[in-house]
Amino acid sequence: MNYGPAPESTLKVDSWLENRRDGFGLFISGQWVTSAETLDSVNPVNGKLLAKIAVAGSGDVDIAVKAARTAQPAWEKLGGHGRARYLYALTQELQKRAGEFAVLESLDSGKPIRESSEFDIPLAIRHFHHQTGRAQLFDVEFPGRSALGVSGLIVASGYPLLSAVQKMAPALAAGNCIVLKPSLHTSLSALLFAGLCEEIGLPPGVVNIVTGGAATGEYLVDHPNVDQIDFTGSIAVGSDIRSRTAGTGKTLNLNLDRKLPFIIFEDADLDSAVEELVETVLCNRVEPCGAGVQLLLQEGVESRALDKIHARVGKLRTGNPLDANTDLGANIDPASLASIVQRNEAFVSGDDFGLLLSVTGFRLLSEALELADGSGRSMAASIWSENINRALDVASQLNAATVWINDSNPFDLGSGRETVEKALRSPIEFSRGDMALNSAPSTKATRTASIGDLPPIVRIEGGHQADIPRAVSAAVRAGDWTRDSGFSRARVLNHMAENLSERKEEFCWYLAQFTGVSEEAARREIDASVERLFSYAAWADKYDGAVRQYERSGAALAVNEAVGVIAVGCPDHLPLLAPVALLAPALAVGNRVVLVASERNAPSRADYQRMLTLLLESSGIPAGVVNIVTGARDDLVEVLAAHKQVDGVWYFGSAEGSVRVEQASAPSLAHTWVNRGKFPDWFSRDEGEGRHFLREACRVKNIWIPHGD
């Protein structure tokens, strides 16, 4: 049987576009504002002009940010219930006009109407509904927390409305006001959404939408009154944003395009795997920035899998995206087709339509992991195996934020709490700036100890930048610490606390003798250090995740996993307590650490260094888990921040040093936590320890496990 045409009606969308044939302005403070420059939005299938849209200049962006800033206090003051009422109204209006949004998405992006009507828009509605509930429960879930202020949201072209909603809804639920910059290629659904904001009477300035190209996004990133940048797009642009915002205090949420590993093992259900593979490729094919799917096939099934993929691709129907029978629409940026696949095999169907993926074979599980993790932490991955033990083993080791087992592309509503969390200020705002202790400039690095004189359990190195690769390499090789159980790590931290307590008088004497503090102050510092170690030993096997249900048969595991290798720059004061307060939470959840002691207060006597080394060694910490480097702290941490094998950087020093760390980490995109010259009260259990330290030491991985036939 041949399929007959089943085109979707465009009457409502055509009418909407016709009423705005003079062009769309910018949506600022509840009004449509003209701009000096416009661009054409065209249908990627036939090149037909859909609309003229405004291009926001720096002045336009400034007006939008000021509107958001003005509206934000009143929006936050509404409280969770008040914000939930508006979000619910937006959800209802979006649901009523779902058909219009689906048609507009397909016209503007070239994606099939089946995808936009059955996936994108319904999931956008569900996400708004979910965050409405988060807003309603805000005071219960996030007591005492406050909004960041103004959120700048920059959306890619792949899922125009869904991506925008995933950023807008949690930001609004948290009490922020937003300035949204849609993709240059797919702006129309955001402009239709602006109409919904008008219809429900959303307070002016809560949602502002500025259209334009890369320059418009740069104006938003650089604006001094934007508190948060949430960006989805290429690694290169994400790195540039990290560099541009260094030292500004902006909160960054970067969702960067890396290849999605799709791993098929020999015992997989091949028919299901191939079907989901094709759907995954179709859903990830419209980005112009070069991301895509990385297919990894175990050797025993490689030939059969490729045959099935070829056969399935050959049956794809290409054509009019508004036809419900169309599988493959148009690429938004056809010029990107040649650049997406850089190696191996490409599958292409049609003249103007493309379906592309890279293919690599593997034999061993270890090879699959190495190939999958080669481009860094991916946003998602998919594993196919009928052996659930193998699947869970691979899922736990993959460097990915979300892992699907025998499935792909389910929508994660459960992560809504984390997205709201990212739109809130830290529960602890460090405010202590001790100029007397922290204004001393960094000195040139000098060698302070001989590695040959010390046990190998901890490397206390000379402070030369050439020593950094050795310390990082030792930390990388100590991966068993990360894979070990929380119970085992708790035992080590407990032993460390016990040993420090037993040697209290020795440490007290050395602290007083070589750092100039009184014996009373030294005892207080040691007592607090012992308490921190016992506290994080208690957390080590308790800071776990959650199990979430989703509507299909199955569950999602939200797992707190270690960041990996963390470089820690210690402050100039409290030479024992401050390093312990930073080292202990990092170790508790499985990180390996390169700790850079402050050159101002790091005791220089080899006897003290040997004692600290023996303390760690006697506590059972494996070699390479803790690596101590002494020298010019800011210089050394800057080198560590740029190291490709360093996954995170914690810096507690000057405001200038914080800027250096953020700038240095831009190419590597390592997670950074800097204090900008402000310090906690290290003796306080509210500021100097707790969940806010553990959150920085972890990242959440969602593992989706379906069950049933």
Side-chain angles (χ1 to χ4, degrees):
M1 290 178 59
N2 293 324
Y3 289 93
E8 193 76 20
S9 173
T10 64
L11 289 177
K12 290 185 178 180
V13 171
D14 289 342
S15 175
W16 179 73
L17 292 172
E18 178 62 24
N19 290 336
R20 292 156 181 80
R21 60 183 173 181
D22 293 334
F24 286 91
L26 310 169
F27 186 69
I28 299 176
S29 195
Q31 298 180 346
W32 295 96
V33 179
T34 59
S35 65
E37 185 182 353
T38 62
L39 58 84
D40 292 342
S41 176
V42 299
N43 186 322
V45 175
N46 54 27
K48 179 182 177 182
L49 177 68
L50 294 173
K52 289 186 175 293
I53 60 176
V55 176
S58 59
D60 300 314
V61 171
D62 183 59
I63 294 171
V65 172
K66 286 179 179 177
R69 176 67 66 195
T70 300
Q72 195 274 326
W75 176 250
E76 185 171 17
K77 193 175 180 180
L78 278 176
H81 173 68
R83 296 193 296 272
R85 295 294 297 272
Y86 282 107
L87 294 183
Y88 181 73
L90 283 171
T91 304
Q92 293 297 94
E93 287 300 314
L94 183 56
Q95 189 159 0
K96 289 177 185 176
R97 302 181 64 178
E100 292 175 60
F101 276 96
V103 170
L104 187 62
E105 290 270 79
S106 293
L107 284 173
D108 201 21
S109 69
K111 64 168 54 185
I113 187 66
R114 183 160 50 85
E115 182 181 333
S116 58
S117 63
E118 296 179 8
F119 183 81
D120 292 27
I121 307 306
L123 293 184
I125 294 168
R126 286 174 55 196
H127 196 80
F128 244 122
H129 186 271
H130 183 82
Q131 296 296 358
T132 297
R134 292 286 179 195
Q136 178 65 37
L137 299 174
F138 184 85
D139 296 332
V140 175
E141 284 205 73
F142 308 100
R145 301 289 294 275
S146 60
L148 288 168
V150 176
S151 296
L153 314 178
I154 302 175
V155 179
S157 57
Y159 302 88
L161 184 67
L162 178 57
S163 293
V165 166
Q166 286 176 314
K167 297 179 186 300
M168 287 191 294
L172 294 173
N176 299 284
C177 289
I178 66 174
V179 179
L180 171 70
K181 206 236 35 116
S183 167
L184 170 68
H185 302 285
T186 53
S187 299
L188 293 181
S189 58
L191 297 173
L192 182 57
F193 181 83
L196 301 190
C197 297
E198 288 182 294
E199 290 175 20
I200 70 160
L202 190 70
V206 173
V207 172
N208 305 274
I209 299 175
V210 293
T211 48
T216 303
E218 290 174 0
Y219 299 143
L220 187 57
V221 168
D222 295 339
H223 199 287
N225 287 325
V226 173
D227 302 290
Q228 177 193 35
I229 294 295
D230 192 335
F231 168 80
T232 297
S234 70
I235 296 174
V237 176
S239 178
D240 180 63
I241 290 174
R242 169 73 71 86
S243 181
R244 298 173 84 103
T245 57
T248 64
K250 288 183 172 70
T251 298
L252 293 186
N253 183 25
L254 304 177
N255 299 294
L256 305 180
D257 293 315
R258 291 186 171 94
K259 285 192 177 295
L260 186 158
F262 198 104
I263 307 173
I264 301 179
F265 286 95
E266 291 176 339
D267 62 347
D269 178 346
L270 269 189
D271 290 330
S272 297
V274 168
E275 191 64 30
E276 287 293 332
L277 169 69
V278 172
E279 289 294 327
T280 301
V281 175
L282 290 174
C283 289
N284 288 276
R285 61 181 286 279
V286 293
E287 293 295 348
C289 24
V293 176
Q294 178 188 23
L295 176 60
L296 302 176
L297 294 172
Q298 196 163 22
E299 286 183 355
V301 76
E302 185 172 3
S303 177
R304 286 192 298 129
L306 290 176
D307 288 343
K308 286 180 177 290
I309 294 169
H310 277 292
R312 180 66 184 92
V313 170
K315 295 178 180 178
L316 291 176
R317 295 176 58 83
T318 61
N320 179 9
L322 291 173
D323 190 330
N325 295 316
T326 296
D327 297 307
L328 202 58
N331 290 289
I332 294 173
D333 184 7
S336 70
L337 290 178
S339 66
I340 293 178
V341 174
Q342 299 176 356
R343 61 191 174 98
N344 299 308
E345 189 166 356
F347 301 93
V348 182
S349 177
D351 296 328
D352 299 320
F353 309 98
L355 176 62
L356 307 174
L357 69 156
S358 62
V359 183
T360 307
F362 70 90
R363 178 176 298 175
L364 304 175
L365 186 152
S366 58
E367 293 174 332
L369 287 169
E370 183 177 356
L371 290 166
D373 294 342
S375 62
R377 186 173 177 84
S378 59
M379 293 174 64
S382 183
I383 301 169
W384 290 81
S385 173
E386 293 297 285
N387 184 335
I388 191 62
N389 293 325
R390 170 194 283 165
L392 287 173
D393 185 31
V394 175
S396 66
Q397 297 183 64
L398 273 176
N399 191 13
T402 297
V403 180
W404 305 307
I405 295 178
N406 294 330
D407 203 348
S408 64
N409 289 319
F411 184 60
D412 186 7
L413 289 173
S415 65
R417 193 186 200 288
E418 285 104 61
T419 56
V420 174
E421 189 97 41
K422 292 176 182 178
L424 295 170
R425 295 187 182 278
S426 170
I428 300 295
E429 293 291 333
F430 300 150
S431 58
R432 296 171 179 261
D434 194 334
M435 298 305 294
L437 287 173
N438 296 287
S439 59
S442 295
T443 58
K444 292 294 183 181
T446 56
R447 186 166 292 278
T448 59
S450 171
I451 297 175
D453 295 336
L454 300 170
I457 200 74
V458 177
R459 296 171 179 263
I460 302 181
E461 306 204 355
H464 293 289
Q465 294 183 7
D467 293 325
I468 293 296
R470 297 165 59 196
V472 174
S473 178
V476 170
R477 293 196 302 270
D480 285 346
W481 176 259
T482 300
R483 292 185 287 271
D484 211 343
S485 68
F487 172 74
S488 296
R489 294 193 293 269
R491 292 182 64 183
V492 171
L493 291 172
N494 277 323
H495 289 163
M496 192 184 302
E498 291 169 354
N499 291 339
L500 180 57
S501 181
E502 290 173 1
R503 301 178 109 164
K504 178 178 178 178
E505 293 305 315
E506 295 174 74
F507 270 85
C508 179
W509 186 86
Y510 277 106
L511 279 175
Q513 184 76 13
F514 299 117
T515 66
V517 300
S518 67
E519 289 192 11
E520 180 182 0
R523 286 192 180 92
R524 183 183 180 219
E525 186 174 346
I526 292 169
D527 287 342
S529 299
V530 170
E531 184 179 353
R532 293 294 176 274
L533 289 166
F534 275 127
S535 291
Y536 287 112
W539 275 115
D541 61 352
K542 299 175 184 65
Y543 192 67
D544 45 22
V547 178
R548 298 165 178 159
Q549 294 178 319
Y550 57 99
E551 64 183 34
R552 302 191 212 179
S553 296
L557 307 180
V559 181
N560 290 332
E561 63 177 14
V563 172
V565 175
I566 295 180
V568 177
C570 297
D572 293 332
H573 54 290
L574 299 175
L576 180 63
L577 175 58
V580 166
L582 293 168
L583 181 65
L587 295 179
V589 296
N591 295 286
R592 293 92 72 196
V593 175
V594 178
L595 189 143
V596 183
S598 163
E599 71 271 31
R600 186 170 187 269
N601 276 334
S604 59
R605 286 288 298 265
D607 288 343
Y608 182 92
Q609 294 176 330
R610 186 175 291 109
M611 177 170 286
L612 181 59
T613 301
L614 291 173
L615 171 65
L616 293 166
E617 184 181 44
S618 63
S619 302
I621 292 184
V625 173
V626 180
N627 306 272
I628 301 177
V629 182
T630 58
R633 177 196 60 203
D634 289 7
D635 293 342
L636 295 174
V637 177
E638 185 176 20
V639 174
L640 283 162
H643 198 291
K644 291 183 178 179
Q645 289 183 296
V646 171
D647 304 294
V649 184
W650 296 1
Y651 174 84
F652 280 77
S654 66
E656 295 78 9
S658 298
V659 175
R660 290 176 63 183
V661 167
E662 290 184 326
Q663 289 176 334
S665 68
S668 67
L669 291 168
H671 170 73
T672 59
W673 185 29
V674 299
N675 69 322
R676 311 188 197 286
K678 302 294 183 181
F679 299 87
D681 178 354
W682 296 104
F683 289 98
S684 166
R685 296 198 67 178
D686 291 331
E687 289 190 22
E689 72 167 86
R691 288 179 180 270
H692 48 292
F693 284 87
L694 293 166
R695 272 193 291 269
E696 296 294 337
C698 286
R699 49 192 177 189
V700 177
K701 173 186 286 182
N702 293 294
I703 302 176
W704 291 76
I705 309 172
H707 53 71
D709 295 332

